[in-house]
Amino acid sequence: MTLYGIIADLRREQPTPAAMQTLDMVVAELGRTRDNLKEAVAALGDKQLPPGGKPVLDELVTKAREDGVYDLDYGPDPYDKPTPEALDEGTAGIGLLMALSSVAAVALAIAAVVIGLNAIFHTSSG
């Protein structure tokens, strides 16, 4: 069974507010520890559990140990930023051309506005 399956079972077995709050705290910590219950429980040691929450946490730990999902390690976080690669000449050239074309488009837009305003202000209404 998965760790979240065990948590879902405990929610059904113990639908008390204390159990729900405790399990919510565990799930929040699991998000920070990449689903490692051992680390999540250690982090919860610093926080105050709701009254009656300690037995629920103990039961979760016991069931997780029985199912072998207590101390999971999924390896390094895949969402960590990789080291940036050096730009090759082709990519740098394309970037430079895109930047120059953007600057040219903005310059043409500004010129069109200036010419249009000049025409408006210098037209004789006669």
Side-chain angles (χ1 to χ4, degrees), residues 110-123:
I110 291 171
V113 168
V114 168
I115 291 170
L117 289 174
N118 192 23
I120 290 172
F121 292 128
H122 290 95
T123 343

Side-chain angles (χ1 to χ4, degrees), residues 3-110:
L3 182 57
Y4 289 98
I6 296 170
I7 292 171
D9 287 346
L10 284 173
R11 287 185 190 275
R12 285 188 292 276
E13 293 169 7
Q14 301 182 21
T16 64
M20 295 299 166
Q21 289 174 348
T22 302
L23 294 173
D24 287 345
M25 291 172 72
V26 169
V27 169
E29 287 300 325
L30 286 173
R32 292 184 192 91
T33 64
R34 296 195 63 229
D35 295 342
N36 187 303
L37 183 60
K38 181 180 179 182
E39 293 176 13
V41 170
L44 285 176
D46 300 340
K47 299 179 181 176
Q48 183 174 353
L49 293 175
K54 179 75 171 124
V56 175
L57 185 61
D58 292 341
E59 186 175 352
L60 173 61
V61 168
T62 301
K63 288 183 177 189
R65 282 186 174 149
E66 289 171 0
D67 285 352
V69 293
Y70 177 66
D71 190 12
L72 300 175
D73 182 13
Y74 292 109
D77 189 356
Y79 298 108
D80 279 345
K81 302 247 187 238
T83 57
E85 297 180 16
L87 288 179
D88 58 54
E89 294 174 7
T91 305
I94 291 171
L96 180 63
L97 288 175
M98 289 178 68
L100 290 174
S101 65
S102 296
V103 169
V106 169
L108 287 173
I110 291 171

